[in-house]
Amino acid sequence: MLRHCAPGSPRSRPVVRALPPSGSALRQRLRQCAERIPEAEAVLDLLEKCPEHQKKGGFPVIVFEGLDATGKTTVTQAVKDTLNGVLLRSPPACISQWRTVFDDEPTPIKRAFYAAGNYILASEIAKASTQAPVIIDRYWHSTAAYTIATETSGKVQDLPPAQDEVYQWPEDLLKPDLVLLLTVDPEERVRRLQHRGLEKTKEEAELEANSLFRQRVEESYRRMVNPACQEVDASPSKEEVLKTVLQLIKKHCAF
């Protein structure tokens, strides 16, 4: 859980304020803005239908993280097909249509929306993992990494120190069995983005324009613990990346 930071970690305090530390804190923040933002009320209604403590089923839950254009869409689909699994994404489809609304809100509200997506997604994971392996395109680590990088200015050295509580998984959120962080060379990632020709999110535009921000995001991913990210070089061919990923899944997950 992201609790108040220990004395001596003042740099993590803005992050704690920006990111709700638990499901109950998340609900409280959404209630505070529900009158002004009808979509917040709708998200809150979905949250209230989710049990507070989700438990996964007997099949493995595997998360893929990484910046845009690192190959998550291609790899997650290939892994889903290979394992005959279920593919889920964060934020989940039931709230993703409201992303543009919350992206224009102040940071604490914006982060509450993305955090809520993880808790709603946990309910879907709990059900799906009783039937098949679950493959997830982004989960809590994305929410936390972008928050930490946004709330910290300067270089990687200015991030909250490694082992700080901001890098911990929330205690009341369903945990995956394995988190794989896909990485590619910065120039290759930009080339892929240009080839895709898709409209950039605000944060993606920031990643492209500000190399320090990109470095803070990637380093935040690397500092996550419980569970930590297993880094995968996604620069080789799709076939090679898939082979590496499947080897890691076999090593870390029991079927």
Side-chain angles (χ1 to χ4, degrees), residues 63-77 79 136-138 142 146 180-196 198 204 207 214 217-218 221-222 230-242 245:
V63 176
F64 286 84
E65 296 283 7
L67 306 181
D68 282 354
T70 53
K72 291 190 306 300
T73 300
T74 301
V75 174
T76 52
Q77 185 63 50
V79 173
I136 309 169
D137 185 342
R138 289 189 170 175
S142 280
Y146 278 87
L180 298 175
L181 173 64
L182 303 183
T183 61
V184 296
D185 178 84
E187 288 75 17
E188 169 64 13
R189 198 182 67 82
V190 171
R191 188 191 67 76
R192 292 182 184 184
L193 278 171
Q194 292 171 342
H195 180 72
R196 282 160 55 175
L198 299 177
E204 182 52 48
L207 285 171
R214 186 189 70 246
V217 172
E218 290 186 321
Y221 273 126
R222 294 185 178 107
Q230 303 283 327
E231 195 164 342
V232 175
D233 180 8
S235 300
S237 68
K238 291 182 287 187
E239 293 77 16
E240 289 179 81
V241 175
L242 178 60
V245 163

Side-chain angles (χ1 to χ4, degrees), residues 9-255:
S9 302
R11 285 175 291 177
S12 63
R13 287 171 191 157
V15 180
V16 173
R17 289 194 296 269
L19 195 59
S22 65
S24 58
L26 174 59
R27 290 176 173 87
Q28 182 179 356
R29 187 172 294 179
L30 288 171
R31 288 190 193 100
Q32 291 171 350
C33 63
E35 287 189 14
R36 182 175 64 83
I37 310 171
E39 292 84 358
E41 183 69 44
V43 173
L44 191 57
D45 287 344
L46 290 169
L47 263 179
E48 297 292 358
K49 294 175 183 176
C50 300
E52 285 196 20
H53 294 279
Q54 302 284 355
K55 291 185 178 180
K56 78 177 197 69
F59 287 89
V61 175
I62 304 148
V63 176
F64 286 84
E65 296 283 7
L67 306 181
D68 282 354
T70 53
K72 291 190 306 300
T73 300
T74 301
V75 174
T76 52
Q77 185 63 50
V79 173
K80 178 249 183 189
D81 292 342
T82 303
L83 301 183
N84 195 25
V86 175
L87 177 58
L88 301 174
R89 292 183 173 87
S90 182
C94 59
I95 67 169
S96 59
Q97 71 269 26
W98 299 320
R99 288 181 70 166
T100 54
V101 173
F102 286 93
D103 280 349
D104 288 333
E105 291 295 330
T107 297
I109 298 173
K110 175 182 177 180
R111 294 304 169 201
F113 168 75
Y114 284 100
N118 292 311
Y119 282 88
I120 294 169
L121 180 63
S123 184
E124 299 180 8
I125 296 168
K127 295 175 184 175
S129 61
T130 64
Q131 302 293 326
V134 180
I135 315 303
I136 309 169
D137 185 342
R138 289 189 170 175
Y139 195 21
W140 176 264
H141 283 348
S142 280
T143 306
Y146 278 87
T147 299
I148 294 165
T150 301
E151 295 298 316
T152 307
S153 59
K155 300 179 180 180
V156 165
Q157 296 93 309
D158 298 308
L159 288 167
Q163 309 307 318
D164 191 283
E165 290 190 38
V166 298
Y167 302 113
Q168 287 277 351
W169 190 271
E171 292 176 356
D172 61 347
L173 182 64
L174 184 150
K175 280 185 190 177
D177 295 287
L178 179 64
V179 182
L180 298 175
L181 173 64
L182 303 183
T183 61
V184 296
D185 178 84
E187 288 75 17
E188 169 64 13
R189 198 182 67 82
V190 171
R191 188 191 67 76
R192 292 182 184 184
L193 278 171
Q194 292 171 342
H195 180 72
R196 282 160 55 175
L198 299 177
E199 184 179 351
K200 300 183 186 71
T201 63
K202 289 181 179 180
E203 283 174 338
E204 182 52 48
E206 178 74 4
L207 285 171
E208 192 169 317
N210 187 336
S211 62
L212 288 178
F213 179 66
R214 186 189 70 246
Q215 292 167 23
R216 294 197 304 271
V217 172
E218 290 186 321
E219 181 59 25
S220 296
Y221 273 126
R222 294 185 178 107
R223 294 186 184 186
M224 297 295 172
V225 293
N226 194 31
C229 296
Q230 303 283 327
E231 195 164 342
V232 175
D233 180 8
S235 300
S237 68
K238 291 182 287 187
E239 293 77 16
E240 289 179 81
V241 175
L242 178 60
K243 181 180 178 181
T244 300
V245 163
L246 292 174
Q247 287 173 342
L248 285 168
I249 292 172
K250 183 177 180 180
K251 177 181 178 182
H252 292 279
C253 302
F255 281 85

